[in-house]
Amino acid sequence: MTKRKSDGTVGPWAREKLDALGEYLNFYTTVLKNQAHWCRGTVFVDAFAGPGKSKVRAIPKSSEPKREDFFDDVVPMTDDEEGDEFVNGSPRVALDIKNPFNNYFFIERDPQRVAELRTLAGDYGDTRKIVVKEGDASAELLAILGSKANWSGYRGVIFVDPFGMHIPWSTLEALAKTRVFEIIINFPLGMAIQRFLIRHGEIPANWAATLDDFFGSPDWRLHAYESSDTLFGSDTVKLADSGKRLLEWYLGRLKDAFGHVSPARLIRNTQGGHLYYLIWAGPHPKGLDGARAILGKGDEVRAPRKRPTAKR
Ligand SMILES: C[S@@+](CC[C@H](N)C(=O)[O-])C[C@H]1O[C@@H](n2cnc3c(N)ncnc32)[C@H](O)[C@@H]1O
């Protein structure tokens, strides 16, 4: 259903995401450095790591891609042509912070990107402890969680940056239960979720199952659609503010699961189109202070004080 890009580039908006990530990771490891007496180790997991470095697309305004073209916004690098601009992907951003993590895990499903990540790990030699895992993000995250009987005394950040709805809610709940891990997550409202929420509400069963898994509840329907009675019977229509309602509901669910949630920072394309939101969630108020300062910049949406009531 989606035309996938394969020209080895990222949109210029990737920088905003990567800058916010780097800023937060710097904040996090600096705070923890001062608490080293009790911290047994720090962990960074990049659950959708990408290739590690990508070429930035030059986009003349008139030919900027339409929303469906953003579905695959990072693809492996091609040749380094002279004059091209490259951006370090999230793995390098995390590796290059001032006070590095003790352990790095990079998860990636695409074999070519995995090979690039292994080369990247080699570039850092013994200076960083890096494990590259080829496989599905959710399965590998659960395997990492299961790899230690006792995580107490550890602290970690997990970056969840998929193209679409590729992280089930149940996996986020498992991470939250540890009270060790924080997440920074890409909520792909413009890139994936709205594409599934077709206007008349008759969503194919496999799309509905994806939405159920992603939200961890079938109640997304109540935030996205309403039924009205017409002369010809009951009619289902999409709510005009479905995006805002779904985001607020998801923020509330993250807050319930993790304890704290930041405002959601909107990432737009160069024409102002909405792509996705970056959200932090975690168990500690100090983390929230840092995340709020970073993700509270620019466009943002906050978790409602009172949970939004779904229209029935
Ligand atoms: C948006 S890109 C990641 C970009 C990277 N975080 C960055 O900022 O540099 C998403 C990546 O996830 C990978 N991917 C997609 N589905 C996956 C899955 N189920 N498990 C692991 N990786 C997946 C894709 O191959 C792609 O490289």
Side-chain angles (χ1 to χ4, degrees), residues 10 14 17-18 21 46-54 71-75 88-91 107-110 113 135-138 159 161-163 166 186 191:
V10 292
K17 165 187 80 177
L18 293 162
L21 175 72
D46 202 333
F48 296 82
K53 192 177 184 189
S54 299
F71 205 68
D72 201 4
D73 81 340
V74 178
V75 285
N88 284 338
S90 48
I107 305 171
E108 173 56 56
R109 197 175 58 178
D110 178 284
R113 293 172 199 185
D136 171 66
S138 181
F159 187 41
D161 182 27
F163 293 133
H166 299 138
N186 169 331
M191 286 165 53

Side-chain angles (χ1 to χ4, degrees), residues 107-134:
I107 305 171
E108 173 56 56
R109 197 175 58 178
D110 178 284
Q112 193 186 329
R113 293 172 199 185
V114 168
E116 289 181 47
L117 288 168
R118 294 210 162 111
T119 305
L120 176 155
D123 292 348
Y124 285 81
D126 293 336
T127 65
R128 304 282 187 278
K129 212 169 148 202
I130 305 171
V131 175
V132 177
K133 289 178 149 253
E134 179 171 352

Side-chain angles (χ1 to χ4, degrees), residues 114-267:
V114 168
E116 289 181 47
L117 288 168
R118 294 210 162 111
T119 305
L120 176 155
D123 292 348
Y124 285 81
D126 293 336
T127 65
R128 304 282 187 278
K129 212 169 148 202
I130 305 171
V131 175
V132 177
K133 289 178 149 253
E134 179 171 352
D136 171 66
S138 181
E140 296 298 340
L141 280 172
L142 296 176
I144 291 168
L145 283 194
S147 68
K148 263 191 204 312
N150 183 3
W151 279 97
S152 82
Y154 286 87
R155 287 289 179 267
V157 179
I158 300 179
F159 187 41
V160 184
D161 182 27
F163 293 133
M165 291 180 277
H166 299 138
I167 195 81
W169 179 258
S170 56
T171 303
L172 299 186
E173 270 185 323
L175 298 176
K177 271 197 195 121
T178 64
R179 300 197 52 77
V180 163
F181 292 105
E182 310 184 344
I183 58 168
I184 298 175
I185 187 164
N186 169 331
F187 181 74
L189 186 63
M191 286 165 53
I193 298 169
Q194 290 289 19
R195 294 162 49 80
F196 277 52
L197 299 173
I198 44 189
R199 204 171 298 163
H200 52 70
E202 281 168 27
I203 299 172
N206 58 335
W207 290 16
T210 299
L211 288 156
D212 287 354
D213 270 6
F214 176 77
F215 284 107
S217 156
D219 285 357
W220 51 268
R221 285 185 192 274
L222 306 174
H223 296 278
Y225 295 98
E226 69 180 340
S227 296
S228 58
D229 292 326
T230 70
L231 281 177
F232 308 101
S234 176
D235 203 9
T236 300
V237 284
K238 190 170 171 184
L239 293 163
D241 59 351
S242 60
K244 184 167 178 286
R245 292 171 63 100
L246 284 166
L247 174 58
E248 288 182 354
W249 177 55
Y250 195 74
L251 286 170
R253 284 175 67 69
L254 286 172
K255 189 171 179 186
D256 287 349
F258 282 86
H260 302 278
V261 72
S262 73
R265 176 158 162 190
L266 175 62
I267 305 293

Side-chain angles (χ1 to χ4, degrees), residues 292-308:
R292 204 184 256 144
I294 295 159
L295 298 179
K297 290 176 191 165
D299 292 303
E300 57 170 271
V301 172
R302 291 174 183 275
R305 279 182 198 279
K306 229 178 100 215
R307 287 295 207 78

